[in-house]
Amino acid sequence: MKRIAFLDYVRVFACFLVMLVHASENFYLAPGATDMAGPQSFLANETDRLWVSLYDGFSRMAVPLFMIVSAFLLAPMKEEQTTWSFYRKRFTRILPPFFIFMLLYSTLPLLWGQIDTATAGKDLSRILLNFPTLAGHLWFMYPLIGLYLFIPVISPWLRKATAKEEGFFVMLFMLSTCIPYLNRWFGEVWGQCFWNEYHMLWNFSGYLGYLVMAHYIRVHLTWSRPTRLKVGLAATIIGAAWTIYSFYVQAVPGVLHSTPVIELGWAFCTINCVLLTAGTFLLFTCIRQSEPPRLIADLSKLSYGMYLMHIFWLGLWVNLFKDALAWPTVAAIPAIAASCFVSCYATTKLISLVPGSKWVIG
């Protein structure tokens, strides 16, 4: 498959944003938490409140961007391809590295005392059920796998659907992303109740909506480059401002918060995050290069391995920039993310030189 230059840029950008999110989380950890945000959050001061809101809020497009890139390339699957050949090709690429890193996150932290043998044993015993204790970032793999599983199901419809039909689906998806706010303000809506979580638009919600949106942009969106620039910039600004403010207005310093409450607007399937993601993706589609620079192509190729391993590196740079050097938050967060990014690239690059490395880093 010929490389699509702007998608390589998107992958690299999204990979860095993931690390920026997790660097930021270290500045609103509840007492006793390590590395990544838990059920409760605590901001020490107004400075942390401001810069966490800005850096982390803007970066919340990272996961949806990865979803859109996958959908842009894979949906619909080729007409001559069978469901099983599609699954075999996709899952032989992503599952071996995924399980290897599940094992590593369940065992390696024993060496530096971050987990005890009881936690390691529990993580290993549940490895077929969920991600390990110290690998919360691997939650992403499950919805990604779910999206891959569904691509053969939706592919026949995508091949035949008109622009209006897909546009209607995207409209219902965007309406479904308002549900978290409706629940906050009005309680259960559209059939939700304690015995039924599946509201009227549930079948149009979640990451499937990003999949259809990606296909719509690729196949049906005929806007000129200036139009995509204008609309993309407007959507990005509105989405970013909304996402940033949604956290800032709630995250009062010195108070122990419920993380799901203050992160309501940071959920990946909220209307503001959809606007931020779609707008940014439209901006990237304006890149006219036929081939990406060698470094971007290399980073893009290694981005999966970088994502899998980055939590191993994160703690080191947090200890340096936040604790040992005590840099101000405005500088510490991007320094942690950038150092983590470079470390992961160097590590995956070295691993890629070893025969059979695709089974470890994809």
Side-chain angles (χ1 to χ4, degrees), residues 19-270:
M19 299 182 196
L20 194 60
V21 165
H22 293 147
S24 301
E25 286 184 0
N26 283 271
F27 291 82
Y28 65 99
L29 297 175
T34 58
D35 289 348
M36 299 176 70
Q40 293 183 310
S41 298
F42 182 85
L43 289 113
N45 50 58
E46 286 290 344
T47 300
D48 286 358
R49 179 191 192 186
L50 172 63
W51 292 109
V52 166
S53 299
L54 286 169
Y55 287 131
D56 204 337
F58 178 77
S59 301
R60 288 290 158 160
M61 69 178 98
V63 164
L65 282 175
F66 275 127
M67 296 291 190
I68 286 182
V69 168
S70 292
F72 196 94
L73 289 170
L74 300 175
M77 69 179 195
K78 296 175 182 177
E79 202 160 1
E80 68 275 10
Q81 193 173 24
T82 68
T83 297
W84 310 117
S85 65
F86 176 82
Y87 288 162
R88 184 168 56 254
K89 185 174 182 180
R90 299 321 309 165
F91 292 138
T92 53
R93 179 180 181 269
I94 68 168
L95 290 184
F98 175 44
F99 280 113
I100 285 173
F101 273 91
M102 293 260 278
L103 291 170
L104 292 175
Y105 280 109
S106 299
T107 55
L108 276 187
L110 282 168
L111 299 178
W112 51 86
Q114 198 172 6
I115 59 174
D116 55 26
T117 53
T119 301
K122 180 182 177 182
D123 285 345
L124 289 169
S125 70
R126 289 176 49 83
I127 207 162
L128 295 179
L129 299 175
N130 216 338
F131 53 82
T133 303
L134 295 182
H137 66 300
L138 295 183
W139 74 268
F140 165 75
M141 295 303 301
Y142 300 92
L144 180 66
I145 290 168
L147 209 60
Y148 284 175
L149 287 170
F150 202 75
I151 283 176
V153 178
I154 200 172
S155 288
W157 179 76
L158 287 175
R159 282 193 287 266
K160 296 178 181 179
T162 65
K164 284 186 178 180
E165 289 168 341
E166 282 194 40
F168 182 62
F169 189 108
V170 172
M171 182 192 72
L172 292 177
F173 161 62
M174 294 184 73
L175 187 57
S176 79
T177 63
C178 299
I179 291 283
Y181 293 108
L182 294 177
N183 289 156
R184 172 72 67 88
W185 298 328
F186 303 108
E188 295 164 334
V189 297
W190 299 341
Q192 290 175 316
C193 50
F194 74 86
W195 68 84
N196 177 53
E197 63 185 287
Y198 305 106
H199 54 79
M200 178 178 68
L201 296 179
W202 188 86
N203 293 299
F204 296 90
S205 63
Y207 299 106
L208 178 61
Y210 283 113
L211 183 151
V212 178
M213 179 184 289
H215 184 265
Y216 182 87
I217 291 172
R218 181 168 67 86
V219 175
H220 298 298
L221 195 68
T222 57
W223 291 346
S224 65
R225 186 170 180 270
T227 300
R228 280 180 283 135
L229 279 170
K230 291 174 186 176
V231 175
L233 184 61
T236 301
I237 292 172
I238 294 169
W242 186 343
T243 307
I244 290 165
Y245 182 73
S246 70
F247 183 89
Y248 182 84
V249 73
Q250 299 181 92
V252 178
V255 177
L256 197 62
H257 296 278
S258 166
T259 303
V261 171
I262 63 172
E263 287 191 354
L264 172 69
W266 283 4
F268 302 115
C269 293
T270 50

